[in-house]
């Protein structure tokens, strides 16, 4: 028995493929409660067989916040720490002890390390810190999608749970079709919410609805509450991608430069512009902006941080640019640096081999 009563809670639908792995991971908790929202593949039965307490209810019309709040209602009132996860997520062993070590009486939430994606070679891709572990009372989930915790009154302090590591291993075939209508609903319900306005513009970008993307993200940038530079820079980068998608490369370049000015501490804007210049074979520009990116050595802990700028890409682009400008020694050094970060990549292996022959 630990120092605190810990309960994991989750929502699910048709995720029997993850049930055993998830229960193996969540077994350090005192209780596991699940709201199943309509599975037909045997998920509730499998979870019950593994010891979870499963309630089956249909949430209609579907909203993530309603489902999360209903699942939270299933958590016993005497719980000290609520741990919200999804079935495609896995805690690494020892998370319970690390969480209890960090938690303090009266705390509101815990922040902990989250690996959202993995690269093909198994190395970590996108990594940031999240805060879906919280106290039992005083909070509820809000927003139809990309839901977050909202507090009634002043929440207790947030603790930093070093050693708690949650990994995301999703089903790549799972559809994102519901995200766009739910985001449009979220923005309609709260037009002044800058966060979901940003997410809506990003979703339009994913779907290559370039004009809608540009309009939504320009609106985001004009909002009084849109003050977080990292997210503002992301909106500028997505606007740039939309202009590039429309074939307006000068506008794309200008918006990438605005993103760099907004958040010069991030690698992503520099790398986006380097890639644009790579496509135009402007090799000195590629070298300049990849060099700027590599001068940033501290990886941010927010979701804005992407995998590629912190992998082999900056060195790979530099190697190609050095080669095209006749600097073979520098090209080889950059190719070797890229290979260190992605040693199983056959193209990078071949680049090093060919450059070493020069």
């Amino acid at each position: 028995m630990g120092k605190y009563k810990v309960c994991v809670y989750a929502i699910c639908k048709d995720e029997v493929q993850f049930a055993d792995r998830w229960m193996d991971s969540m077994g350090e908790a005192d209780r596991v409660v699940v709201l199943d929202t309509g599975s037909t593949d045997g998920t509730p039965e499998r979870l019950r067989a593994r010891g979870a307490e499963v309630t089956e209810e249909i949430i209609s019309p579907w909203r993530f916040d309603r489902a999360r709040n209903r699942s939270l209602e299933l958590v016993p009132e005497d719980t000290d720490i609520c741990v919200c996860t999804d079935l495609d997520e896995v805690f690494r062993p020892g998370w319970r002890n690390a969480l209890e070590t960090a938690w303090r009486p009266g705390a509101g939430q815990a922040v902990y390390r989250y690996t959202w994606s993995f690269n093909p070679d198994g190395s970590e891709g996108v990594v940031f810190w999240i805060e879906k572990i919280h106290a039992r009372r005083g909070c509820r989930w809000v927003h139809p999608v990309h839901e977050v915790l909202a507090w009634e009154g002043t929440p207790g302090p947030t603790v930093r749970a070093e050693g708690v590591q949650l990994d995301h291993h999703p089903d790549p075939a799972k559809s994102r079709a519901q995200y766009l209508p739910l985001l449009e609903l979220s923005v309609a319900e709260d037009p002044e919410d800058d966060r979901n306005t940003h997410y809506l513009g990003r979703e339009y970008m994913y779907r290559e609805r370039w004009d809608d993307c540009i309009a939504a993200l320009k609106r985001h940038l004009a909002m009084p509450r849109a003050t977080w530079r990292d997210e503002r820079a992301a909106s500028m980068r997505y606007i740039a991608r939309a202009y590039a998608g429309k074939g307006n490369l000068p506008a794309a370049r200008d918006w990438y430069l605005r993103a760099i000015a907004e958040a010069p501490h991030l690698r992503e804007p520099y790398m986006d512009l380097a890639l644009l210049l790579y496509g135009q074979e402007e090799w000195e520009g590629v070298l300049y902006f990849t060099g700027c990116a590599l001068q940033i050595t501290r990886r941010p802990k927010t979701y804005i941080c992407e995998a590629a700028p912190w992998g082999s890409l900056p060195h790979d682009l530099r190697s190609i640019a050095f080669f095209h400008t006749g600097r073979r020694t520098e090209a080889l050094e950059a190719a070797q640096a890229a290979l260190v970060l992605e040693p199983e990549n056959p193209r990078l292996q071949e680049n090093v081999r060919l450059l070493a022959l020069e």
Side-chain angles (χ1 to χ4, degrees):
M1 191 70 177
K3 295 187 293 184
Y4 301 99
K5 292 183 179 179
V6 178
C7 180
V8 167
Y9 72 104
I11 59 175
C12 72
K13 182 180 179 181
D14 291 332
E15 297 185 81
V16 71
Q17 62 179 317
F18 300 135
D20 284 319
R21 184 185 69 184
W22 186 73
M23 287 300 295
D24 288 342
S25 168
M26 302 300 148
E28 296 180 25
D30 298 302
R31 298 176 77 161
V32 176
V33 299
V34 179
L35 176 71
D36 186 282
T37 62
S39 292
T40 58
D41 66 349
T43 300
E45 293 79 9
R46 188 60 201 156
L47 290 172
R48 289 190 185 107
R50 291 298 310 274
E53 303 169 31
V54 183
T55 300
E56 298 179 62
E57 292 181 15
I58 302 297
I59 304 296
S60 182
W62 173 259
R63 297 172 58 113
F64 281 96
D65 54 357
R66 286 186 60 199
R68 296 280 185 209
N69 287 325
R70 179 67 186 105
S71 66
L72 179 55
E73 290 174 0
L74 305 175
V75 175
E77 285 289 338
D78 63 349
T79 299
D80 297 307
I81 307 175
C82 304
V83 179
C84 180
T85 69
D86 290 321
L87 266 70
D88 59 3
E89 297 172 336
V90 180
F91 275 123
R92 296 185 192 176
W95 65 267
R96 163 77 180 259
N97 182 65
L99 175 59
E100 290 195 308
T101 299
W103 196 262
R104 296 291 181 269
Q109 288 176 268
V111 297
Y112 49 99
R113 194 172 185 272
Y114 182 57
T115 303
W116 183 80
S117 67
F118 289 84
N119 298 318
D121 64 0
S123 62
E124 291 186 326
V126 176
V127 179
F128 51 94
W129 288 63
I130 62 172
E131 47 188 21
K132 292 171 68 175
I133 294 175
H134 58 88
R136 176 63 183 85
R137 286 170 292 279
C139 60
R140 62 186 179 87
W141 294 94
V142 296
H143 299 312
V145 67
H146 293 303
E147 63 281 11
V148 296
L149 282 170
W151 289 84
E152 300 163 0
T154 303
T158 296
V159 301
R160 184 181 179 86
E162 297 282 357
V164 175
Q165 171 66 45
L166 186 64
D167 295 333
H168 184 220
H169 297 284
D171 178 359
K174 197 167 186 177
S175 172
R176 287 179 55 92
Q178 63 185 334
Y179 276 59
L180 180 55
L182 288 174
L183 274 168
E184 291 175 329
L185 173 62
S186 182
V187 171
E189 287 182 347
D190 188 356
E192 299 309 310
D193 184 88
D194 57 291
R195 176 177 173 272
N196 276 352
T197 301
H198 169 77
Y199 284 152
L200 176 59
R202 184 182 69 175
E203 195 69 23
Y204 285 139
M205 179 194 69
Y206 290 153
R207 295 166 186 255
E208 299 185 1
R209 289 174 54 173
W210 304 129
D211 290 332
D212 290 331
C213 167
I214 292 167
L217 293 176
K218 285 185 176 179
R219 181 173 175 272
H220 168 252
L221 293 171
M223 300 176 80
R225 294 192 298 183
T227 58
W228 183 28
R229 287 185 174 274
D230 295 28
E231 197 164 72
R232 288 180 60 82
S235 283
M236 294 172 185
R237 292 168 49 223
Y238 302 156
I239 290 171
R241 291 182 194 176
Y243 275 120
K246 288 165 61 70
N248 190 340
L249 299 186
R253 179 203 60 208
D254 291 346
W255 277 97
Y256 282 137
L257 288 170
R258 290 182 65 172
I260 289 170
E262 185 73 27
H265 57 284
L266 299 178
R267 280 191 180 188
E268 285 75 11
Y270 296 110
M271 289 307 304
D272 280 353
L273 184 49
L275 282 167
L276 183 73
L277 296 175
Y278 168 82
Q280 298 174 314
E281 298 186 359
E282 295 186 15
W283 305 119
E284 293 298 339
V286 171
L287 289 171
Y288 177 77
F289 288 107
T290 54
C292 291
L294 289 172
Q295 288 178 15
I296 302 169
T297 58
R298 186 173 180 178
R299 186 168 181 164
K301 296 180 178 179
T302 72
Y303 83 93
I304 295 296
C305 183
E306 298 175 1
W310 293 90
S312 64
L313 181 62
H315 303 285
D316 187 20
L317 291 185
R318 288 179 69 75
S319 176
I320 296 169
F322 278 130
F323 176 81
H324 281 284
T325 54
R327 288 169 271 186
R328 302 300 177 87
T329 300
E330 293 91 339
L332 175 59
E333 292 173 352
Q336 290 169 331
L339 187 60
V340 166
L341 293 169
E342 200 175 339
E344 303 303 318
N345 186 313
R347 182 181 62 80
L348 298 181
Q349 293 171 352
E350 182 67 5
N351 286 353
V352 170
R353 187 187 72 80
L354 291 174
L355 288 167
L357 296 175
E358 295 292 335

